[in-house]
Amino acid sequence: MELKPLHIVGALLVDGDTPRPGSLLVADGRIAAIDPTDIPDGAETVDARGQWLAPGIIDLGVFATDKPAFHFGGITRAALMPDNGPLDGAGLVERAAKGGKPDLWVHPLAAATKGLAGTELAEIGLMKQAGARAIATGRARITDSGVMRRVLAYAASLGLVTIIHAEDEGLTAGAVATDGEMATRLGLASAPAIAEAIAIARDLALVEETGAPVHFRQVTTARGLDLIRAAKAKGLPVLCGITPAHLLLSDTAIGDFRTFARLSPPLRSEDDRHACLAAIADGTIDILASGHDPRGPEDKRLPFAEALPGMAGAETLLALGLGLVRDGHISPGRLFELLAATPACLLGVDAGKLAVGKEADLILVDEGTPWQVDAKKMAAWAGNTPFDGMPVQGRATMMWKGGLRIR
Amino acid sequence: MTSSTLRPASDYPPGGDAFRHRHLIGIAQLTPWEISYVLDAAEEWVDLNRSGAAKHDDRLAGLTIINAFFENSTRTLLSFEIAGKRLGADVVNMHAAQSSVKKGETLIDTAMTLNAMRADAMVIRHGSSGAVQLIADKVDCPVLNAGDGRHEHPTQALLDALTIRRRLGRVEGLTIAICGDVLHSRVARSNILALTLLGNEVRVVAPPTLTPPAIDRMHVTTFTDMDEGIKDADVVMMLRLQNERMDGAYLPSAREYHALYGLTPKRLEKAKPDAIVMHPGPMNRGVEIDSSVADDPVRSTITEQVEMGVAVRMACLDILTRRKRGVVGWN
């Protein structure tokens, strides 16, 4: 299909710290020029009318291919966690990669071990050939340190990053909340927050030994972040991420047994939440993701401890990220590094930035429009958001994937 | 602190304002004067229950109360059943073991089914914290929490407060030690809330493995040494130790637990000379409490607690159905 060149004018380009007035030319599905002077004949012109023009969001670590939610949220690429399936074979990976066509990139994350059981290496090389962009341990970590060491070394030899869930299962067994006044008052089984730091410490030691690159998908505690900070200072190949929930909510959100606030890892103390905000401001946290995990009433309309963890986060990711900008924690440029550039780098895809030659996955963002999160009216196939009722600002108004308008 | 909690416990407002709740889910929602109101109401039922042969008061005649117990119980279920019947209500018991819950029906579906049967009150026990609130949000009648997970067991705390008040003449300004498996105990949580709210010094005495995290935030002081913890206490409240806690995960053995935390006559000497000994039952004799202590008619209040349980539950059923019955001042 022949695409007409696309000329987006009147935009505020998010290609530096602060959005600046400019225009952008797309040809053959890629960014052909920034602030172009020569416009090819027949180019389609779109007037952004002062909205932000930013790279499409690359949502690293979702649990479902939920296209309506991703499109609402300005997400052009989603890296799919291997848990459903699980994605532990080349055929499964290939099929998952096609799950978003034609208007969404799905990048499957291969299961690190067969059946995600944490005992035997999965066919990581074959899955890479089938389109896997990284490997992941899934919703839990690999308990056996010997297996984990072999997984890291093997994935590294194939040039793949290992995406890790960091919680010590001995401490978290049976727990549905973080130790603290709230869990105790509600009578919920809880685990100490150090379960995260203990798991991170082990894996950092293995990283130091193997040299394998890793990404801790969610680091949510002060002590965990301190370890990451120290590892980065040593020059270890370590990235870490977070979702808006752990930046904006603490365990008080589980009061009244609100199962939409049951997450994995569980919501933490206010002190840990503030440490997360500091870590996103100082650059310790590299990636902001939605953790999109839609759960229907059969999973959530249950007593708290029986409900499954997870939140539908894709639709609120951009607006809550813009909130971090408005509150002065990060700059607009840094927001899109967290949402697009760094995830692109991790996955090895040629996108995520407004730069000549990159794939033209683009969004227009009306950063000021106020709206209210409403669990009952979500585009996602389930409305399990812990932010129900929250007033937010900003949304994606137009999207292109490879220069093709999809919204 | 809100103005309502500053109101003296004994001074409750008239009519329906004296107890403004549709349900009884937990002590956490109550004010001191609401607790006193229930206790004062229960006193009258104690008198009726003790009076001769005819123990009936038919004010709940024609009303249906469903006792839905999703977790096994003998004494609490029986206590609620007797309370309902003494008030003249039609009482139906539903045991989860014999119900569709075992067939995979969700809790909400079960609640909606019970609701469609038009009960006038439901008494619910469930093994999961928050489950009773979940049901209360979905049904049209008052719901009484008969215990949800580790969360709350409000009628137990009320009957304990009534027992203390009758034995010691007051339930304020006392030193009360709650001893044992506090971590897994809803009785402990409800009692901590009620007794601190009424102005007592509450201590939690437990091995570290059975002490809830951040429990000091509930305005208690914690002890791991039993002798220290019950020193000069007015009330020693023992908790039941579930058998499954003694298998090595939380405690090395029942024998060791008895040696360190069991309430023996010698250990009880550390408490005040007239201190009372409480236990919500059922007891593990020889584990958390020695028989000679449990059976001491002067110190032990264990059978009196059972008696107060019926009176408190009658009071709660009466109060929570007043709006439905159109009692003057309760609309």
Side-chain angles (χ1 to χ4, degrees):
Chain A
M1 186 171 62
E2 195 64 26
L3 271 178
K4 275 196 286 187
L6 169 68
H7 186 210
I8 302 171
V9 299
L12 290 170
L13 302 188
V14 187
D15 63 349
D17 255 1
T18 314
R20 60 171 184 89
S23 63
L24 182 141
L25 182 69
V26 174
D28 300 324
R30 289 188 180 262
I31 297 172
I34 287 171
D35 295 326
T37 45
D38 290 334
I39 308 304
D41 291 339
E44 180 199 354
T45 302
V46 170
D47 184 353
R49 286 177 295 184
Q51 296 179 88
W52 292 8
L53 178 61
I57 295 171
I58 302 174
D59 195 357
L60 193 89
V62 301
F63 291 89
T65 301
D66 188 357
K67 215 184 275 185
F70 296 147
H71 282 172
F72 183 99
I75 294 161
T76 49
R77 293 172 189 258
L80 181 66
M81 289 292 281
D83 297 79
N84 293 337
L87 302 177
D88 65 351
L92 293 166
V93 165
E94 202 171 333
R95 195 164 59 193
K98 288 177 182 155
K101 287 192 170 176
D103 47 6
L104 172 76
W105 285 104
V106 174
H107 298 300
L109 304 171
T113 56
K114 285 179 190 160
L116 283 176
T119 49
E120 298 168 70
L121 296 191
E123 291 174 333
I124 296 170
L126 293 178
M127 288 191 280
K128 182 187 176 188
Q129 288 173 11
R133 291 285 182 172
I135 69 165
T137 66
R139 293 183 191 274
R141 72 162 179 167
I142 293 173
T143 304
D144 186 314
S145 306
V147 174
M148 185 62 176
R149 179 166 171 266
R150 292 191 286 275
V151 161
L152 289 175
Y154 195 84
S157 75
L158 294 166
L160 297 176
V161 176
T162 301
I163 298 174
I164 299 172
H165 179 90
E167 277 187 293
D168 180 278
E169 57 291 317
L171 288 170
T172 58
V176 298
T178 305
D179 278 0
E181 181 181 356
M182 186 52 72
T184 286
R185 282 185 183 271
L186 295 176
L188 294 173
S190 59
I194 53 157
E196 180 176 281
I198 288 173
I200 289 173
R202 181 201 71 172
D203 289 343
L204 287 176
L206 293 172
V207 167
E208 193 160 8
E209 205 229 11
T210 58
V214 297
H215 169 58
F216 293 94
R217 193 169 64 84
Q218 298 180 84
V219 180
T220 59
T221 61
R223 294 185 66 165
L225 289 162
D226 284 346
L227 291 174
I228 301 286
R229 210 173 269 123
K232 287 183 168 192
K234 262 193 204 172
L236 297 185
V238 172
L239 296 173
C240 77
I242 198 165
T243 72
H246 286 94
L247 292 165
L248 301 170
L249 303 174
S250 63
D251 60 357
T252 54
I254 66 172
D256 293 332
F257 301 98
R258 279 187 286 271
T259 57
F260 284 4
R262 178 156 183 223
L263 306 177
S264 170
L267 289 171
R268 307 299 193 183
S269 68
E270 264 302 291
D271 287 350
D272 278 331
R273 183 177 83 84
H274 285 287
C276 291
L277 283 171
I280 205 159
D282 73 13
T284 304
I285 293 174
D286 303 285
I287 289 175
L288 183 65
S290 75
H292 192 63
D293 196 2
R295 300 273 198 191
E298 65 282 3
D299 291 334
K300 284 292 191 182
R301 211 168 63 170
L302 294 169
F304 192 88
E306 294 166 29
L308 294 177
M311 66 186 148
E315 288 163 79
T316 50
L317 175 62
L318 175 61
L320 297 171
L322 289 166
L324 295 173
V325 172
R326 252 189 306 278
D327 291 346
H329 298 292
I330 50 175
S331 69
R334 168 105 167 104
L335 174 64
F336 283 91
E337 276 175 25
L338 290 158
L339 289 173
T342 310
C345 196
L346 187 157
L347 296 168
V349 297
D350 200 12
K353 265 186 191 170
L354 299 190
V356 173
K358 295 283 176 194
E359 296 210 29
D361 298 343
L362 304 167
I363 57 175
L364 276 187
V365 178
D366 180 349
E367 54 91 25
T369 302
W371 57 287
Q372 191 169 20
V373 181
D374 184 346
K376 291 189 186 67
K377 293 181 196 162
M378 306 249 300
W381 74 259
N384 52 311
T385 171
F387 298 105
D388 190 24
M390 181 186 270
V392 293
Q393 274 176 275
R395 69 202 312 172
T397 56
M398 269 192 215
M399 288 174 77
W400 294 267
K401 170 180 174 272
L404 180 70
R405 171 112 185 245
I406 52 177
R407 224 191 96 207
Chain B
M1 191 170 282
T2 63
S3 60
S4 62
T5 55
L6 289 171
R7 191 185 183 108
S10 55
D11 174 26
Y12 35 80
D17 287 342
F19 194 90
R20 295 173 304 190
H21 305 277
R22 183 174 146 68
H23 308 293
L24 179 63
I25 302 298
I27 301 295
Q29 289 87 36
L30 304 185
T31 60
W33 43 267
E34 283 170 333
I35 293 174
S36 294
Y37 184 72
V38 176
L39 300 189
D40 290 351
E43 291 277 11
E44 295 177 29
W45 298 117
V46 176
D47 296 340
L48 176 82
N49 289 341
R50 287 183 174 179
S51 69
K55 297 185 179 65
H56 252 270
D57 176 295
D58 284 335
R59 64 181 65 187
L60 264 56
L63 267 55
T64 305
I65 298 170
I66 298 180
N67 293 328
F69 277 55
F70 297 86
E71 193 184 69
N72 286 332
S73 160
T74 311
R75 58 184 63 216
T76 306
L77 178 59
L78 196 57
S79 181
F80 269 109
E81 184 174 358
I82 290 172
K85 285 182 171 167
R86 286 209 179 138
L87 293 169
D90 298 316
V91 180
V92 186
N93 295 334
M94 192 198 85
H95 301 272
Q98 307 155 6
S99 76
S100 51
V101 176
K102 286 271 152 94
K103 297 172 197 154
E105 187 179 64
T106 71
L107 185 59
I108 299 278
D109 289 338
T110 307
M112 296 315 291
T113 303
L114 296 178
N115 191 50
M117 293 175 186
R118 302 212 174 270
D120 299 294
M122 285 188 206
V123 178
I124 297 168
R125 167 170 289 193
H126 195 281
S128 204
S129 300
V132 177
Q133 176 72 61
L134 190 65
I135 294 174
D137 291 343
K138 300 285 171 196
V139 301
D140 301 318
C141 68
V143 168
L144 283 84
N145 183 359
D148 64 322
R150 309 175 181 183
H151 178 222
E152 284 235 39
H153 190 355
T155 56
Q156 179 72 44
L158 292 168
L159 76 88
D160 286 339
L162 182 60
T163 305
I164 295 169
R165 198 173 79 170
R166 288 174 62 96
R167 271 293 185 104
L168 300 179
R170 64 195 159 105
V171 57
E172 60 182 313
L174 300 172
T175 300
I176 300 167
I178 300 178
C179 313
D181 183 2
V182 180
L183 178 64
H184 298 98
S185 177
R186 54 193 171 216
V187 172
R189 282 175 180 72
S190 287
N191 263 310
I192 288 168
L193 289 168
L195 295 170
T196 54
L197 195 60
L198 293 172
N200 299 282
E201 183 205 330
V202 177
R203 302 175 182 171
V204 159
V205 188
T209 49
L210 295 174
T211 304
I215 189 72
D216 55 306
R217 299 295 299 270
M218 294 182 77
H219 312 293
V220 298
T221 45
T222 57
F223 294 83
T224 51
D225 182 298
M226 184 77 173
D227 292 332
E228 240 179 85
I230 65 173
K231 189 169 181 292
D232 298 327
D234 298 287
V235 177
V236 179
M237 184 182 287
M238 302 304 296
L239 299 171
R240 174 177 165 75
L241 185 69
Q242 305 281 346
N243 287 321
E244 61 265 29
R245 312 294 176 219
M246 294 183 263
D247 62 5
Y250 290 92
L251 297 168
S253 67
R255 190 171 63 172
E256 177 157 325
Y257 185 74
H258 179 259
L260 268 57
Y261 293 95
L263 190 61
T264 59
K266 184 160 171 16
R267 198 161 258 153
L268 186 56
E269 286 171 16
K270 307 273 193 230
K272 286 214 180 118
D274 57 346
I276 58 171
V277 175
M278 310 181 77
H279 193 298
M283 287 179 281
N284 294 305
R285 289 172 180 267
V287 181
E288 72 259 12
I289 190 165
D290 277 14
S291 282
S292 58
V293 176
D295 299 334
D296 179 341
V298 180
R299 314 295 291 274
S300 168
T301 66
I302 293 166
T303 52
E304 198 175 334
Q305 285 171 270
V306 176
E307 185 189 0
M308 294 307 122
V310 176
V312 157
R313 286 161 185 138
M314 289 173 82
C316 292
L317 288 169
D318 170 29
I319 291 167
L320 287 172
T321 56
R322 282 184 193 165
R323 286 180 179 84
K324 181 120 195 173
R325 290 184 285 125
V327 173
V328 176
W330 291 73
N331 40 32

